[in-house]
Amino acid sequence: MTDFSDRQKGEEAKYAFDEENAFKIAARRNRLLGHWAAEKMSLTTEETDAYAKAVMQADFEEAGDEDVIRKLHGDLIAAGVEIDEAGVRVALEEQTIEARRQLMSES
C-alpha cells in the first residue's frame, strides 16, 4: 500500500511541477511576444514594457492562445504593420521555444 501511495504522491508532484513550468513558459513567451510586437510597432522603451504587460494580461481572458493571438494581430494591424494571423502564430511558436530555452538555461 505504501508503494502505491508513494507513487501517487510522486505523480501529483510531477503534475504540479509540469503545470508550474507551463505557466512560467507561457508568461515568459507572452512577455517576449510583447517585445517582438512592440519592436514591429516602433514603440518606445516605456511603451514596450507596458505593452508586454498588456500581452501577458490578455492571456488571462480565455483558455488557450487565441486571446493573445487576437490581441497581437489586432494591435499590429492597427499600427499599420503588414502581418497576417499565420505570421503571429509563427512568432508565438518561436517565442515559446525561446521562453523554454531561457527557463532551461536558468535551471
Side-chain angles (χ1 to χ4, degrees):
M1 193 61 124
T2 331
D3 290 338
F4 179 75
S5 178
D6 290 344
R7 184 171 47 182
Q8 184 178 11
K9 287 179 185 176
E11 288 176 10
E12 289 171 357
K14 182 184 180 319
Y15 177 79
F17 177 79
D18 290 346
E19 288 297 307
E20 181 180 348
N21 276 343
F23 178 80
K24 287 178 182 179
I25 289 168
R28 184 166 300 209
R29 175 207 63 195
N30 292 339
R31 185 176 49 80
L32 291 169
L33 277 169
H35 283 269
W36 168 82
E39 182 180 330
K40 296 218 172 285
M41 295 186 287
S42 302
L43 300 182
T44 66
T45 304
E46 296 81 21
E47 291 170 331
T48 296
D49 291 339
Y51 187 73
K53 289 177 185 173
V55 172
M56 292 172 69
Q57 287 294 321
D59 196 22
F60 295 115
E61 291 177 13
E62 62 186 55
D65 298 330
E66 294 306 311
D67 45 2
V68 174
I69 292 167
R70 266 194 315 274
K71 173 166 183 49
L72 289 168
H73 187 243
D75 292 347
L76 288 164
I77 294 298
V81 177
E82 290 189 30
I83 190 165
D84 59 5
E85 190 176 307
V88 173
R89 289 181 186 280
V90 167
L92 184 129
E93 290 302 318
E94 290 171 350
Q95 298 308 327
T96 300
I97 292 166
E98 177 60 18
R100 187 173 283 118
R101 187 196 63 74
Q102 287 179 9
L103 283 173
M104 290 176 73
S105 69
E106 290 176 4
S107 299

